[in-house]
Amino acid sequence: MTGIEPAEMFDKAEAIVRDDGFMEFRLDYLPRPGLAVPKIKKFTELHPHVFSIATCRRGVGGGRFRGSLAAQLEILTRAADNGCQLVDVELEGAEKAKPGVLQKLRTRAALILSYHDFRCTRKLENILERMTAIPADFYKIVTTATTLSDNVVMMKFLEEHSDRHSLIGLCMGEQGIISRVLGVRAGSVFTFAAAHPGQETGAGQVSAQELRSTYRIEGLDAATRVFGVAGDPIAHSLSPIIMNTALRRENVNGVYLALHAKTLPDLMACVRDIPIHGLSITMPYKGAILEHLDNTDSHTAKIGACNTIVRAQDGKLYGFNTDTSGVVRPLEQRLPLQGAKILVVGAGGAARAAVFGLKERGCEVYILNRSMPAGQKLARSAKARLVKRADLRKLTFDVIINATPVGMGSSKESPLNPDEINARYLLEMIYDPPETRLVQLARTRGVDVIPGIEMLVQQAARQFEIWTGKPAPTDEMLRIANIALQEQTARKAGGKATAKKKQLS
Ligand code: NAP
């Protein structure tokens, strides 16, 4: 819990106290932390069921308190005397404290001895040895994940030492998400989360609400299967919210995480060590992942790109491509595919998944690509027809599919001109933004638009079925995906407006 004034901090605490019976007051965020003590007293008297930690971290431990060690300990003592059951003191300070001072503090509240490494995750055993020289009730070690494998290091450390010490362990940073969600299962006594999005006190921290409702942290146990989406970048992926919704809805004991994989060897080490049962693979690894797999189905081998991995019971990794289902399913809900005339714009991985899948369904497939050789190669291998741009305005199709990135993000470009959009349906693979220039042009020409989010959900639904053997709750997945996409679009628009305002002021 943070705030720039005690009143703000405790208003926030009041707002979440019904849902959260455990909170940390970051007194070091206040300009004068001592002024919060009467508020602590009032709050803890009013809510005796709440467990609260008082933290007043000094600069040496990565906090904001600029006072001396003695002043820090004085504030923590007063917080303890006024109702906080736990106090946090960083190792650097504790090692300098006079003998007996910490023990005296410990008679008033349980002591969390904490250590933070803001650069990496290493030498955890040495740190623990240093820490356990000082008697405390909990030892908290927070490091920074610079690889996905750092999470494995942290979790193995927790598994090995948590039966002898009461440990709290996690990795900060975007890549630390695995330890934030799975650390408790590995032996961490508890974990830390932001009271609300935007109120994070550590890099990569997620909100308490997200930990509970998206990742269902309270239900994770040894049998929970771990799934994830791996790519670089991955921060804005909608897959975690879509997949965790599906897992919850279908009562599958599983959790799905966004894995920022900077290299494939790092990712593969995690798949082996955690272990991960199923993976969605996204840019830029859909092709390169193939050589790390034990087997793929013939369809995936033909496409040359894999977006789904299953880890079988024998530990072997099998690759599939569900982008095909992402294209075929929304189309077959709208028109008969046998004999349908379909133009695919692009010849990359997504285009290949579409072209081969549609050919298998009996469609008449046409390909238009910026570079002729790539288009020719795909047309030849799939027995599809290559179209020249100059001929396009004379042709009509049942469906046009955009499988290029043209129009993504803030781009206002369209891969096709208005007079080249002659079709009943447009499937726009891009979903961010939801309204690309191509979508706008298609609408003005009376073309029915199938949004990219539908493809994303349908390919995810197929992944869900492969992993769990259950039908996917597709409608619920699409509903939640649309909400998440709207929120993401609004956040981006808000961010841009703020940046513009700053520029003007
Ligand atoms: P990719 O393998 O990099 O292929 C990109 C294709 O687009 C290539 O054929 C490339 O042509 C063409 N292209 C790139 N820039 C172009 C430009 N400025 N003008 C004309 N053509 C251009 O990418 P991918 O994985 O196939 O993905 C393609 C798009 O589909 C991306 O926007 C991706 O986000 C989207 N997608 C969406 C979903 C979903 O679930 N909704 C799933 C997969 C992919 P050249 O051969 O000439 O380079």
Side-chain angles (χ1 to χ4, degrees):
M1 201 61 56
T2 61
I4 48 165
E5 292 292 337
E8 184 196 343
M9 183 179 280
F10 285 88
D11 283 351
K12 284 183 190 167
E14 287 292 350
I16 62 161
V17 72
R18 274 169 53 143
D19 301 322
D20 270 295
F22 192 22
M23 47 184 85
E24 179 187 35
F25 294 114
R26 286 296 302 260
L27 302 176
D28 53 313
Y29 277 60
L30 301 168
R32 296 172 68 193
L35 296 184
V37 172
K39 295 263 183 204
I40 291 176
K41 185 172 165 41
K42 197 167 155 205
F43 183 83
T44 53
E45 279 174 2
L46 212 59
H47 307 288
H49 65 285
V50 171
F51 262 95
S52 52
I53 307 174
T55 299
C56 190
R57 205 175 311 298
R58 294 170 68 220
V60 284
R64 299 188 178 185
F65 185 57
R66 298 284 163 245
S68 65
L69 174 63
Q72 176 198 21
L73 295 177
E74 157 73 14
I75 289 165
L76 293 180
T77 303
R78 289 175 56 209
D81 287 346
N82 285 281
C84 283
Q85 298 93 331
L86 298 106
V87 291
D88 179 311
V89 178
E90 57 278 3
L91 177 63
E92 295 83 350
E95 285 178 330
K96 292 210 169 81
K98 287 199 188 102
V101 173
L102 290 179
Q103 292 322 306
K104 207 165 149 203
L105 181 57
R106 243 184 118 192
T107 61
R108 298 166 142 102
L111 174 65
I112 303 174
L113 194 62
S114 64
Y115 175 83
H116 293 77
D117 187 330
F118 293 94
R119 280 181 306 175
C120 57
T121 299
R122 63 189 181 112
K123 297 187 177 164
L124 301 184
E125 266 80 13
N126 294 2
I127 295 161
L128 183 63
E129 203 181 317
R130 241 177 93 190
M131 293 182 98
T132 49
I134 300 170
D137 300 281
F138 301 96
Y139 297 98
K140 172 184 170 191
I141 301 184
V142 178
T143 60
T144 299
T146 59
T147 62
L148 293 171
S149 302
D150 282 339
N151 293 277
V152 178
V153 171
M154 176 58 82
M155 292 195 298
K156 284 192 170 158
F157 168 79
L158 289 168
E159 278 162 10
E160 210 173 310
H161 298 279
S162 58
D163 54 346
R164 268 170 292 135
H165 305 285
S166 293
L167 296 179
I168 300 145
L170 57 91
C171 300
M172 292 183 284
E174 186 194 0
Q175 292 183 302
I177 182 73
I178 304 173
S179 67
R180 287 191 183 275
V181 175
L182 300 179
V184 172
R185 182 173 86 161
S188 183
V189 182
F190 51 84
T191 190
F192 284 79
H196 287 290
Q199 294 176 17
E200 297 79 11
T201 54
Q205 203 174 60
V206 289
S207 71
Q209 152 88 359
E210 210 179 339
L211 269 189
R212 283 211 182 93
S213 63
T214 303
Y215 299 113
R216 295 180 294 160
I217 192 165
E218 281 146 339
L220 300 186
D221 57 26
T224 303
R225 286 187 288 164
V226 182
F227 303 94
V229 53
D232 182 17
I234 204 70
H236 299 296
S237 173
L238 298 175
S239 297
I241 184 77
I242 296 172
M243 283 298 199
N244 283 310
T245 298
L247 292 168
R248 184 180 58 228
R249 179 79 176 213
E250 293 306 309
N251 268 324
V252 177
N253 186 4
V255 65
Y256 184 98
L257 306 167
L259 308 175
H260 185 180
K262 289 186 188 158
T263 67
L264 277 182
D266 179 33
L267 175 66
M268 299 325 285
C270 272
V271 171
R272 204 180 42 243
D273 289 340
I274 286 183
I276 292 176
H277 287 83
L279 263 186
S280 312
I281 299 291
T282 184
M283 300 246 277
Y285 299 125
K286 287 184 180 183
I289 194 76
L290 286 170
E291 66 184 74
H292 296 267
L293 305 178
D294 294 297
N295 210 346
T296 56
D297 64 348
S298 61
H299 180 73
T300 306
K302 219 160 43 179
I303 296 167
C306 160
N307 76 334
T308 309
I309 298 178
V310 181
R311 191 174 182 281
Q313 283 193 335
D314 58 5
K316 287 199 170 143
L317 301 177
Y318 295 91
F320 299 91
N321 192 309
T322 69
D323 279 338
T324 298
S325 302
V327 172
V328 169
R329 288 182 177 186
L331 293 185
E332 64 191 5
Q333 285 169 2
R334 290 166 167 95
L335 74 160
L337 287 184
Q338 183 67 39
K341 211 174 148 192
I342 299 187
L343 172 71
V344 176
V345 185
R352 291 178 67 82
V355 169
F356 282 107
L358 294 169
K359 280 295 292 183
E360 280 166 19
R361 300 299 188 287
C363 300
E364 204 182 307
V365 180
Y366 295 74
I367 297 166
L368 171 74
N369 194 47
R370 176 178 60 179
S371 63
M372 280 303 259
Q376 254 158 0
K377 199 171 158 208
L378 175 56
R380 212 173 298 130
S381 60
K383 297 193 173 54
R385 298 186 196 183
L386 192 68
V387 181
K388 287 200 193 100
R389 180 96 191 234
D391 297 334
L392 204 55
R393 68 176 73 89
K394 292 177 271 169
L395 296 171
T396 58
F397 301 94
D398 292 304
V399 183
I400 295 177
I401 299 176
N402 177 30
T404 77
V406 182
M408 255 174 104
S410 55
S411 160
K412 296 279 177 279
E413 287 174 45
S414 163
L416 299 178
N417 297 321
D419 59 355
E420 295 168 328
I421 310 171
N422 303 310
R424 281 162 64 201
Y425 296 100
L426 167 76
L427 192 164
E428 169 61 283
M429 284 198 183
I430 295 170
Y431 56 85
D432 182 15
E435 287 282 314
T436 59
R437 178 80 187 127
L438 176 62
V439 165
Q440 289 166 350
L441 293 177
R443 286 197 207 285
T444 60
R445 292 181 64 84
V447 176
D448 273 346
V449 173
I450 306 169
I453 196 75
E454 236 184 271
M455 175 179 174
L456 181 75
V457 166
Q458 290 290 2
Q459 63 78 34
R462 181 72 196 118
Q463 293 182 327
F464 182 90
E465 290 159 10
I466 292 173
W467 291 332
T468 66
K470 294 182 171 204
T474 314
D475 290 349
E476 179 62 3
M477 291 165 82
L478 186 58
R479 190 185 70 79
I480 212 79
N482 273 316
I483 294 172
L485 183 60
Q486 273 167 19
E487 285 174 359
Q488 199 174 82
T489 310
R491 263 199 309 277
K492 279 188 191 160
K496 266 191 212 143
T498 315
K500 205 162 179 187
K501 230 175 176 176
K502 272 188 188 157
Q503 260 176 10
L504 293 174
S505 62

